[in-house]
Amino acid sequence: MATTTWEVVIGLEVHVQLQTKSKIFAGASTAYGAEPNTQACDVSIALPGVLPVMNKEAARLAVKFGLSIGALVNQRSIFARKNYFYPDLPKGYQISQFELPIVGKGELEIETDKGTKVIGITRAHLEEDAGKSVHEGFNHSTGIDLNRAGTPLLEIVSEPDMRSASEAVTYLRKLHTLVRYLDISDGNMQEGSFRCDANVSVRPKGQEEFGTRAEIKNINSFRFVEKAINYEVDRQIDLIEDGSEVVQETRLYDSEKDETRSMRSKEEAHDYRYFPDPDLPAMVLEDSFIESVRRSLPELPEKRKDRFIQEFSLSPTDADKLITEKETANYFEAVCEKTMAEPKIAANWVLGELTAALNQENLSIIDCPMESSKLASLLDRIADNTISGKIAKEAFSLLWSGTDSVDKIIEDKGLKQITDTGEIEKIVDTILQTNSAQVDQYKGGNPKVFGFFVGQVMKQTGGKANPKQVNEILRNKLD
Amino acid sequence: MQEKTLSEHAKSLRSGEYSSLELTQHYLDRIEAHQSLNAFISVTAENALAQAKRADEALQNNAENLNRLTGIPLAQKDIFCTQGVLTSCGSKMLENFISPYDATIVERLNQSGMVMLGKTNMDEFAMGSSNETSYYGPVRNPWNTETVPGGSSGGSASAVAARLAPVATASDTGGSIRQPAAFCGLTGIKPSYGRVSRYGMIAFASSLDQAGVLSRSIEDGAMVLQAMSGFDDRDSTSLQAQVPDYTSELSQSIKGKTIGLPKEFFGDGVAADTADKIQQAIRQLESMGAKTIEVELPNSALGIPCYYVLAPAEASSNLSRFDGVRFGHRAKEYVDLNDMYEQSRAEGFGDEVQRRIMIGAYVLSSGYYDAYYIKAQRLRRMIAEDFSKAFEKCDLIAGPTTPSTAFVLGENNDDPIAMYLNDIFTNSVNLAGLPGLSVPAGFDQKGLPVGLHLIGKYLDESTILNVAHQYQMETDWHLQIPGGFA
């Protein structure tokens, strides 16, 4: 049976670490990478008698997200206790939200190869992160690091609206871009600031009822999301086609082996015994608070994309590439502001040479060693015909690795374009004289030979002759 | 010396009649002499003497600007975290827990200059009405050492009744201040929920727990309550409301105050001699100018089942942190993580605590949550509404604190329900979050103290304190000393 008869159904639960300075219910710092348990205050380690106090900044960041997806923001939300035992969960329960989350229904549009698709967002709720178990270096014991315990998370739950792994990745990337734009999370996947669980099931195409789903946990990169889902889809289809059944369970993705494996079955699933946390009154958000958050919303990715298309006459594809990372878009805009070159040219350079150079050195745009003003001045020299686009690429790599200014590089390396018509004419004349056979071919009706002459001129001038002028002069002499 | 009120101590300390050091040593000696009551889990003599010394120095230098409580000793219930001192909560689970921090009320009482004598015995995790669930053994009632002092604040009650401390802190989740006050002939005040910070008070049932005071008189209790009360930004359920000046309002006349008498509090369940004393007390209040009126609390009988769903539910979760991982008891032998949890908790918690954890986990579990927890929450609202309706007709409510007086040690041990019924009049007050107090109102035929229970409107401690104080001005039940403890 071909796999096309199966429809894949995916819903994602994304845990976004909110970038507050202190924990969601305590004063300890949330900074990443500190020595174990140095950011574990009395509340973080759940000493007897300690109590949680809500960090309003976490609520502000959650509301920011809710407003950005046009979701219902619940002015009254409830914190609940999710009870289970685990050594890195100091209280024996996690404070989360269950019945009344801070953010209700909303939606996010994604671009698929079949066009725009709306993915429903069921809810987003605030909760605290757990600590970490450290298994290495403790000689048959496990170490517990509670620095992360109590770090605020926003869990964003989607509807089961995605129909392929690539749609899931598109949605996830979109969400990632959004939280970075909103400045509510650093979105760092390696450090666990942006984590994803996927609910995956399959059903025969046309069937309305959902198949039995498995929840895949522990997926910490975009690439793994796609691989984990594809693996899981194949596994489920194989199971059904072999006449057995998918069981409802939680599975772990192992990126080294590229497989998912069972973590706990439905029967082993925890009964979390949720109930409203009596230590925390209902969280009430005033209209004025929500309005102030609304006013603080930055330009969102979609808006920025539209603006780039309008204002800079960019293609939708280029605009989309530029806005995906907020810092790339910022860089691009900074270049545009400083250069007289066309925005389209700036976009090509940012998406082309600059991105390639960053990738080469495995750097993110945030760590870009080349200031936007440098790239802008390089583009200026193209625009004012000091150097050609081709020579500019040479200058770019010198600019990237060195500290010299564009003008100094052009000067020192003699990259300046030859724009003296007399000089170019002289060179053209010589070439036409020494290549009379080709001249005859051209005159005999073979226009392709024209390129040969251009090439010869460029060769002779080390690429520095102004290509436009070369073309004009050649035509004058030949036609 | 030990018969003096707190105001008298304050005066004597200022006049130089005796120093805080002498006063503290006096109480430490009494504690030592009456160890058989088992009222204390820890006696912190060294700390106490150091605190007393500091108080004396302060009193010599700057007496006018100091809190009136400066230099006066007190006992802290072992439910409150005290920095550098064992804070066991009456449990084996915390047998080794030296708290690294002070509870807010401990901090405040320290700041007011009071001297901590030690930590008092209590029912394990405040779960009990007789102090018999304590890992540290039962406490004895000074009025008859064969009887229980009540619980869970039994150690605090026994200590104050036997004059081992002039005053003690306590906590009340369903009656744990007021019932021991009644059993030991003391004044016990549980303020409105949110009045006193819960930060550093080891949680039993968070929505019901409230700290308060056990003292010999309303005047003493009000002074200490004043020092404990007020907003704390470390407790989200603490109230940002202004705390009235409790002591200055005590002297008002009670003329014209209307006292509601719920008929449900005067039924068959109350022992005849207890009921008699309560009737006498009410006649006394009437003779002082108060009016009485019958009111109804139709759902009050549901208080016990409601309480015994909600309190264990919260407790089951609150006590999850005692897992042997970071502090507290950890079993010596275990095969894996789950076994470590199971062994540590089975060894660390006593029977009553385990019973309540299991009840609590059960009522919260999926499939039972609606039938128990949600239903109990609905009942809780009904009980609170009953009080609101009754308070439309009266300023305060009166009745017996307990259905009968102190019972013999061991008497109710095999019957948890009989034990739970001790709190039948008190726990609905916690469910409604109201202030309540118990004051001595005479003795039953066995010579054991009877407690009069006054319940106030939400945040209106002042009225019940005022009425109870005026009652104490006209009666001498609170001045009686148990034999052998003069």
Side-chain angles (χ1 to χ4, degrees):
Chain A
M1 221 186 287
T3 52
T4 45
T5 59
W6 295 99
E7 183 173 49
V8 178
V9 177
I10 303 159
L12 297 185
E13 291 169 18
V14 180
H15 288 87
V16 178
Q17 221 174 67
L18 298 176
Q19 50 189 12
T20 54
K21 288 199 178 68
S22 57
K23 294 185 176 180
I24 183 166
F25 300 117
S29 163
T30 52
Y32 179 83
E35 282 296 301
N37 296 313
T38 53
Q39 286 167 188
C41 62
D42 293 355
V43 175
S44 306
I45 64 172
L47 284 181
V50 298
L51 295 170
V53 176
M54 175 67 195
N55 177 350
K56 193 125 197 223
E57 179 63 6
R60 194 180 70 81
L61 300 183
V63 169
K64 219 170 165 183
F65 173 76
L67 295 175
S68 78
I69 57 160
L72 174 80
V73 171
N74 288 315
Q75 287 189 266
R76 187 172 172 276
S77 67
I78 306 277
F79 287 102
R81 293 185 184 178
K82 180 180 181 179
N83 294 283
Y84 65 96
F85 284 98
Y86 204 71
D88 62 21
L89 186 73
K91 293 188 293 298
Y93 59 84
Q94 176 194 32
I95 305 178
S96 180
Q97 294 192 304
F98 188 56
E99 275 177 2
L100 257 182
I102 186 164
V103 176
K105 273 191 183 310
E107 55 188 42
L108 206 62
E109 278 184 3
I110 61 168
E111 300 298 328
T112 71
D113 41 15
K114 289 172 208 131
T116 303
K117 180 171 177 175
V118 175
I119 305 296
I121 289 177
T122 319
R123 59 184 279 162
H125 62 258
L126 283 166
E127 62 185 26
E128 57 180 345
D129 210 343
K132 276 179 191 162
S133 297
V134 184
H135 298 289
E136 290 86 34
F138 288 96
N139 198 25
H140 302 302
S141 291
T142 299
I144 307 291
D145 177 6
L146 295 176
N147 281 350
R148 200 181 65 182
T151 298
L153 298 176
L154 186 67
E155 180 174 338
I156 302 164
V157 183
S158 85
E159 292 289 314
D161 285 348
M162 286 152 275
R163 294 292 171 268
S164 69
S166 85
E167 276 186 22
V169 172
T170 306
Y171 164 80
L172 198 62
R173 281 191 187 280
K174 189 101 189 213
L175 208 54
H176 188 258
T177 297
L178 181 59
V179 302
R180 300 274 296 104
Y181 264 73
L182 292 169
D183 212 15
I184 63 174
S185 173
D186 65 17
N188 189 322
M189 293 179 97
Q190 277 89 48
E191 291 175 6
S193 307
F194 192 87
R195 316 196 283 268
C196 172
D197 299 340
N199 283 299
V200 179
S201 64
V202 296
R203 62 181 169 190
K205 238 194 178 123
Q207 182 183 302
E208 206 162 307
E209 204 182 319
F210 289 128
T212 306
R213 71 189 149 89
E215 183 182 4
I216 318 169
K217 287 210 174 278
N218 195 29
I219 333 180
N220 57 8
S221 84
F222 294 118
R223 200 162 59 93
F224 293 156
V225 169
E226 182 142 22
K227 290 180 105 173
I229 292 173
N230 282 333
Y231 175 89
E232 182 58 22
V233 166
D234 289 346
R235 189 188 70 88
Q236 291 187 9
I237 292 171
D238 285 350
L239 271 177
I240 300 168
E241 289 183 347
D242 286 351
S244 79
E245 279 180 344
V246 175
V247 282
Q248 189 179 331
E249 61 184 350
T250 305
R251 299 179 69 85
L252 262 181
Y253 179 65
D254 181 336
S255 57
E256 273 169 36
K257 293 187 181 146
D258 186 24
E259 61 176 31
T260 65
R261 57 171 181 269
S262 185
M263 191 171 134
R264 56 176 176 256
S265 69
K266 191 184 172 190
E267 288 71 32
E268 294 166 307
H270 296 295
D271 178 353
Y272 290 118
R273 290 175 279 120
Y274 279 103
F275 75 106
D277 191 333
D279 288 330
L280 291 161
M283 183 165 62
V284 176
L285 306 175
E286 307 288 337
D287 287 325
S288 58
F289 174 77
I290 294 174
E291 279 320 302
S292 78
V293 177
R294 195 189 301 278
R295 280 195 302 274
S296 77
L297 280 181
E299 184 184 33
L300 296 176
E302 282 308 297
K303 270 263 170 65
R304 196 169 204 182
K305 180 180 166 187
D306 291 345
R307 182 166 63 81
F308 277 15
I309 295 170
Q310 296 286 320
E311 196 176 319
F312 301 130
S313 311
L314 299 182
S315 70
T317 315
D318 281 356
D320 203 49
K321 281 183 191 156
L322 282 170
I323 60 107
T324 298
E325 260 191 287
K326 184 173 72 171
E327 287 77 9
T328 309
N330 291 348
Y331 191 98
F332 164 72
E333 286 206 78
V335 173
C336 286
E337 215 166 90
K338 292 167 193 157
T339 182
M340 56 171 127
E342 287 295 314
K344 169 73 191 147
I345 305 289
N348 287 344
W349 277 84
V350 170
L351 294 173
E353 293 305 300
L354 187 79
T355 304
L358 288 169
N359 289 346
Q360 181 86 34
E361 298 190 21
N362 220 346
L363 289 174
S364 105
I365 183 83
I366 306 162
D367 308 311
C368 180
M370 187 193 267
E371 286 157 28
S372 57
S373 56
K374 267 194 172 177
L375 182 58
S377 56
L378 179 67
L379 301 187
D380 280 346
R381 295 293 86 82
I382 305 172
D384 66 12
N385 284 329
T386 308
I387 54 175
S388 67
K390 203 166 167 205
I391 292 293
K393 288 185 182 173
E394 207 180 315
F396 178 88
S397 45
L398 294 166
L399 207 51
W400 176 269
S401 51
T403 51
D404 288 346
S405 71
V406 176
D407 292 336
K408 187 159 191 308
I409 289 169
I410 293 170
E411 192 62 41
D412 291 357
K413 303 279 167 190
L415 298 177
K416 200 160 186 290
Q417 194 160 233
I418 301 163
T419 49
D420 180 335
T421 313
E423 197 178 329
I424 298 172
E425 264 183 27
K426 250 191 237 159
I427 297 165
V428 168
D429 287 343
T430 325
I431 284 166
L432 292 182
Q433 276 161 26
T434 50
N435 294 286
S436 53
Q438 281 80 358
V439 175
D440 290 344
Q441 277 179 34
Y442 181 80
K443 294 208 164 155
N446 184 358
K448 280 181 192 163
V449 191
F450 191 80
F452 165 78
F453 297 121
V454 177
Q456 288 299 312
V457 178
M458 286 305 178
K459 200 173 164 192
Q460 196 101 15
T461 58
K464 287 182 288 181
N466 181 305
K468 209 172 144 206
Q469 284 170 292
V470 173
N471 274 290
E472 271 170 25
I473 292 165
L474 271 169
R475 284 203 197 286
N476 282 340
K477 304 248 172 200
L478 288 167
D479 293 345
Chain B
M1 208 187 266
Q2 73 271 7
E3 275 320 300
K4 293 201 168 165
T5 66
L6 298 193
S7 323
E8 286 165 350
H9 279 315
K11 242 178 254 160
S12 301
L13 288 170
R14 280 165 174 74
S15 71
E17 189 185 334
Y18 46 79
S19 66
S20 173
L21 201 61
E22 287 167 310
L23 184 64
T24 301
Q25 189 59 58
H26 176 73
Y27 279 112
L28 289 171
D29 292 344
R30 287 188 66 84
I31 293 169
E32 171 99 29
H34 295 288
Q35 280 182 43
S36 59
L37 291 174
N38 201 24
F40 284 83
I41 290 173
S42 313
V43 180
T44 51
E46 210 175 305
N47 280 343
L49 294 171
Q51 268 186 319
K53 226 170 155 182
R54 280 201 298 277
D56 283 332
E57 282 162 20
L59 283 162
Q60 254 166 12
N61 294 332
N62 190 20
E64 315 85 78
N65 296 326
L66 291 178
N67 190 297
R68 281 194 298 166
L69 296 167
T70 304
I72 300 176
L74 96 159
Q76 289 279 10
K77 185 176 179 177
D78 209 25
I79 199 168
F80 298 107
C81 286
T82 43
Q83 193 178 351
V85 174
L86 171 69
T87 301
S88 76
C89 218
S91 182
K92 180 182 180 180
M93 182 56 88
L94 291 178
E95 200 182 3
N96 59 2
F97 179 65
I98 309 296
S99 175
Y101 78 104
D102 276 332
T104 297
I105 72 139
V106 172
E107 208 174 83
R108 289 187 179 175
L109 292 170
N110 281 340
Q111 271 159 16
S112 73
M114 293 197 87
V115 172
M116 184 177 88
L117 297 166
K119 308 287 297 287
T120 58
N121 204 339
M122 57 182 285
D123 277 302
E124 185 179 6
F125 286 104
M127 298 177 190
S129 304
S130 66
N131 216 109
E132 291 166 296
T133 71
S134 170
Y135 172 65
Y136 301 88
V139 175
R140 290 170 186 276
N141 186 333
W143 289 96
N144 175 347
T145 54
E146 293 310 304
T147 66
V148 302
S152 65
S153 311
S156 286
S158 178
V160 177
R163 277 60 175 166
L164 310 186
V167 65
T169 59
S171 67
D172 190 316
T173 304
S176 283
I177 293 175
R178 292 159 290 157
Q179 185 252 17
F183 278 17
C184 292
L186 294 176
T187 298
I189 310 167
K190 178 204 97 73
S192 307
Y193 183 79
R195 187 63 100 184
V196 178
S197 168
R198 293 188 297 114
Y199 191 81
M201 175 168 79
I202 298 177
F204 159 17
S206 314
S207 73
L208 301 160
D209 296 344
Q210 185 59 209
V213 196
L214 277 161
S215 59
R216 295 208 311 273
S217 69
I218 286 290
E219 201 184 353
D220 284 1
M223 275 171 77
V224 176
L225 182 63
Q226 193 85 52
M228 288 163 67
S229 298
F231 176 69
D232 176 12
D233 61 11
R234 289 176 295 186
D235 174 3
S236 313
T237 61
S238 134
L239 286 168
Q240 251 165 332
Q242 183 78 33
V243 181
D245 184 350
Y246 294 129
T247 45
S248 74
E249 293 170 356
L250 296 179
S251 54
Q252 291 165 32
S253 158
I254 66 165
K255 247 185 208 118
K257 292 260 189 275
T258 306
I259 302 176
L261 304 174
K263 57 180 186 191
E264 294 81 5
F265 286 8
F266 294 87
D268 296 339
V270 184
D273 46 359
T274 293
D276 276 354
K277 293 293 156 190
I278 298 305
Q279 291 296 352
Q280 269 180 35
I282 286 161
R283 281 196 293 280
Q284 172 69 40
L285 291 167
E286 284 172 337
S287 76
M288 292 159 62
K291 287 187 292 185
T292 57
I293 181 178
E294 191 182 271
V295 293
E296 282 184 357
L297 296 173
N299 295 298
S300 67
L302 298 171
I304 292 271
C306 172
Y307 177 89
Y308 279 97
V309 169
L310 297 181
E314 293 181 17
S316 70
S317 175
N318 281 334
L319 270 58
S320 294
R321 70 186 57 197
F322 304 110
D323 55 4
V325 173
R326 300 166 316 290
F327 48 76
H329 179 75
R330 183 190 288 188
K332 282 208 172 64
E333 282 170 35
Y334 46 86
V335 295
D336 59 17
L337 178 64
N338 261 332
D339 194 43
M340 187 195 85
Y341 286 145
E342 282 169 18
Q343 299 300 330
S344 302
R345 288 167 66 82
E347 292 169 12
F349 291 138
D351 289 349
E352 183 60 27
V353 172
Q354 292 191 28
R355 172 162 34 239
R356 296 200 198 188
I357 289 173
M358 285 188 280
I359 292 171
Y362 178 80
V363 301
L364 289 176
S365 58
S366 89
Y368 299 95
Y369 181 76
D370 289 350
Y372 292 100
Y373 184 82
I374 293 291
K375 197 182 272 180
Q377 285 290 19
R378 208 175 307 136
L379 272 181
R380 182 176 187 169
R381 279 193 294 278
M382 286 162 63
I383 288 166
E385 279 162 23
D386 283 356
F387 275 111
S388 298
K389 258 186 226 151
F391 279 126
E392 286 170 11
K393 294 190 271 182
C394 60
D395 301 310
L396 71 157
I397 285 170
T401 307
T402 53
S404 51
T405 55
F407 47 88
V408 172
L409 278 157
E411 194 178 294
N412 284 334
N413 279 1
D414 299 326
D415 189 351
I417 307 280
M419 191 70 95
Y420 296 168
L421 286 172
N422 259 286
D423 293 334
I424 189 159
F425 301 131
T426 47
N427 64 25
S428 59
V429 177
N430 299 74
L431 290 167
L434 303 174
L437 60 80
S438 180
V439 283
F443 295 87
D444 73 350
Q445 284 161 3
K446 288 173 276 187
L448 292 169
V450 170
L452 169 71
H453 190 204
L454 301 183
I455 304 165
K457 294 178 185 173
Y458 182 55
L459 289 183
D460 185 19
E461 290 84 16
S462 297
T463 297
I464 54 172
L465 290 172
N466 170 222
V467 170
H469 174 71
Q470 290 303 315
Y471 175 77
Q472 290 187 334
M473 293 288 94
E474 300 297 322
T475 58
D476 61 0
W477 304 118
H478 65 294
L479 301 177
Q480 306 305 309
I481 306 167
F485 295 94

